Every structure is written in structure tokens, then in C-alpha cells.
Amino acid sequence: MKDSNKRIIVAVTGASGAVLAVDFIDIMHENGIELHGIVSDAAEKVLELELDLKPPDLKFDKCYAYDDFAAAPSSGSSRFDAMVIIPCSMGTLAAVANGISSNLIHRAADVTLKEKRPLVMVPRETPMNRVHLDNMLKAHDAGAVIMPPVPAFYHRPETIRDITRSFAGRIAHQLGFEVNGFKAWG
């Protein structure tokens, strides 16, 4: 389903799993969704380390500086339909869960929650300690959907990209988008 009038904020933080962001961005782009990106400083390093990519390589329609508090995602009057933080570092999770807005990713997430818009957070850390779990519950109670990147195997993936693309499709489904080629159970 093409839905070019939908606008989503995609934030990429410094947790491992940059491929998850790339696959989600590709799927949304293929489906005609307008993507507004925010990439943290740490994410820039992870993108380079894991994939030899730089933020301009991501298929964002518009990208904002990590420290630009005057950017559109910092205001509830900017009409975005949802936000996805993928991958989500535990530091970002903690900031969002506790209402700390020290950069544009945190502020955009805070705005998304206060405006009662969908916020999907993809935390990448294991094992999780009590603080991580408490922060996930706080973010959930504030309205976020917590989706750790847990692979599904019922579709018999053959490559890592099969796994990451399937998970990216699950996020799209969570946001209400139909994705061509996404294999749901049943």
C-alpha cells in the first residue's frame, strides 16, 4: 500500500544493529512513506563500523541535526504520524522513559508521546538489567511500543538480511502499514 501522505520520524542511535534501521528505512521508502531522520553521533560511528555507511547514505527525505532543537520534530505542531527509534540505545531509552530531552531524538520522542502518536522503540542490549527493564516499563506506560529485535524463524530465513527485513516488516505492521512480501504468521 502506497501512502505518500504519511510522515514518520526515524531516529537511529548508537546501539548495535544499524542494519535494522537500514532495512526499516528501505521498506518504508519502498512503500512511499515520507521519512524524516535523526542520526545520533554514536549512530554515525556504528553505521560506519557495521555497514561502511554514512548518514547521507540513508534514504531520508529530510534529515535533521542531532542537536537542532528548532527542527520540526521538536514541536507537536509539526504533523508526524509516528516515530521509530531503531536501534534504540539504553541511554536513549532511559532519557525517553524519564522525560529527559537533551537532544533532538529525546525531544522528538517526548513530543510523539505527549501528542499520543505511535512511538516504537527497538532496544538493542542483552542481557538486560533491572534499570533497562524498569525503563522499558516506564516508556511502555507512557505510550511507547517496545519491540526488541527478536527474530522469527517460522518463515525459514536463509540470511541475516532475511531476519532483519522480516523484523522491519513487523515494525511497519505495528504502525498499520501493509508491506509487500511481509510474511505474517498464519
Side-chain angles (χ1 to χ4, degrees):
M1 164 176 96
K2 298 280 184 188
D3 201 344
S4 58
N5 56 355
K6 295 287 185 180
R7 296 174 37 175
I8 296 177
I9 302 165
V10 179
V12 184
T13 71
S16 181
V19 68
L20 297 166
V22 170
D23 283 348
F24 178 73
I25 292 164
D26 284 349
I27 285 173
M28 292 289 91
H29 185 72
E30 290 164 11
N31 284 274
I33 306 304
E34 184 178 322
L35 299 175
H36 291 244
I38 311 166
V39 180
S40 75
D41 295 339
E44 285 189 38
K45 293 174 185 159
V46 173
L47 278 164
E48 176 112 26
L49 178 70
E50 293 182 351
L51 301 171
D52 292 322
L53 295 177
K54 296 192 178 304
D57 296 322
L58 302 176
K59 296 176 185 173
F60 291 130
D61 295 292
K62 183 158 185 153
C63 195
Y64 304 96
Y66 182 60
D67 60 353
D68 184 2
F69 281 93
S74 70
S75 174
S77 64
S78 293
R79 301 299 300 177
F80 290 97
D81 295 288
M83 179 174 181
V84 177
I85 306 174
I86 181 170
C88 181
S89 68
M90 288 300 162
T92 298
L93 172 68
V96 173
N98 291 286
I100 300 167
S101 294
S102 59
N103 62 52
L104 184 57
I105 293 173
H106 304 160
R107 175 62 186 157
D110 186 50
V111 167
T112 300
L113 290 172
K114 83 177 182 69
E115 296 294 329
K116 306 272 191 244
R117 298 176 188 146
L119 171 63
V120 175
M121 303 177 82
V122 181
R124 270 282 301 121
E125 184 75 41
T126 190
M128 294 176 199
N129 66 36
R130 177 64 187 244
V131 173
H132 300 153
L133 296 169
D134 285 344
N135 284 333
M136 285 184 208
L137 284 172
K138 282 183 185 178
H140 173 271
D141 289 347
V145 173
I146 309 299
M147 286 187 70
V150 178
F153 296 102
Y154 56 81
H155 64 281
R156 298 185 182 189
E158 295 179 8
T159 67
I160 290 172
R161 287 313 278 267
D162 289 344
I163 293 170
T164 58
R165 194 158 167 86
S166 172
F167 182 75
R170 288 180 59 209
I171 295 169
H173 253 210
Q174 177 66 39
L175 294 172
F177 296 103
E178 295 298 321
V179 176
N180 292 333
F182 175 72
K183 297 177 184 175
W185 178 254

